[in-house]
Amino acid sequence: MLPLLERPPAPHDRAPPGGLIVVTGPPLCGKRTLGHYLHEYLPRSVHLVLPDPALFELRGESPRDLSEVTSRLRSELCQGKRVVLSARLAQPAARERVLLVARRLSVPTLIVEVEGTDAVALERATELANTLADLRKVLAKLCELLPPRSPKASAQARVPTVVVPAEAPVEDQVKAVLDGWGKLGAVD
């Protein structure tokens, strides 16, 4: 019997299958924080972030293109890594594009919906702002980003989804996601 941490070699020297966890939700709901913790808990994982275009300037980040992120996503998945992608992906076409990469590579995929609340968004907005003028700017951008949500893409209906409340402790969020991931048989 093999020890728990020792695994037999992959057939034909192929990398073991990785997987994709897509952490989505409204702006400032904690997607990036949850993604960071999931990356810490999962062996052979990479955390990719696609910031909201209107928020990247508030955080002083360079904008990233979805093409750049999906290219890196494909590369990491082809290496057998697990990828945690923190991205809003509010447009059904953007979600479909990310899910298509995973589907073509036949890797386990899980969507995590972080349900944001006004209180959580306001708390995170104040963390971004140094002055009252900055807070007004952050809140104005946040209002621009919160039009009514469009219906989910049809491809997403075929992808297992875990919903976690933004105000839940991150440990509880991680546990819920790992439980969902385990149900896919994707945990070592």
Side-chain angles (χ1 to χ4, degrees), residues 11-12 14 22 24 27 35 74 91 93 112 123 129 138 142 165 172 174 182 185:
H12 310 293
R14 288 181 44 195
V22 181
T24 67
R74 184 179 300 105
Q91 301 301 318
V112 179
E123 178 183 331
V138 170
L142 186 58
D172 294 345
V174 168

Side-chain angles (χ1 to χ4, degrees), residues 19-21 35-36 38-40 42-49 72-73 75-77 79-86:
L20 173 63
I21 298 176
H36 169 76
L38 288 169
H39 163 65
E40 293 295 320
L42 292 169
R44 297 184 340 268
S45 69
V46 175
H47 183 206
L48 302 179
V49 177
R72 173 118 188 260
L73 170 68
S75 172
E76 298 292 354
L77 289 173
Q79 294 176 41
K81 294 181 183 174
R82 293 184 175 116
V83 177
V84 178
L85 173 62
S86 301

Side-chain angles (χ1 to χ4, degrees), residues 49-111:
V49 177
L50 181 63
D52 286 313
L55 289 179
F56 77 87
E57 66 190 52
L58 297 172
R59 289 189 170 131
E61 298 171 343
S62 338
R64 283 203 180 112
D65 182 77
L66 184 58
S67 297
E68 174 188 331
V69 172
T70 54
S71 175
R72 173 118 188 260
L73 170 68
R74 184 179 300 105
S75 172
E76 298 292 354
L77 289 173
C78 285
Q79 294 176 41
K81 294 181 183 174
R82 293 184 175 116
V83 177
V84 178
L85 173 62
S86 301
R88 184 163 176 229
L89 300 177
Q91 301 301 318
R95 283 188 185 215
E96 175 61 29
R97 196 164 160 192
V98 167
L99 295 175
L100 184 62
V101 171
R103 196 169 40 252
R104 284 184 175 162
L105 295 173
S106 300
V107 296
T109 304
L110 181 69
I111 293 177

Side-chain angles (χ1 to χ4, degrees), residues 118-136:
D118 291 343
V120 171
L122 185 57
E123 178 183 331
R124 296 196 186 206
T126 58
E127 291 171 4
L128 281 174
N130 294 321
T131 66
L132 188 55
D134 286 348
L135 182 57
R136 285 187 186 121

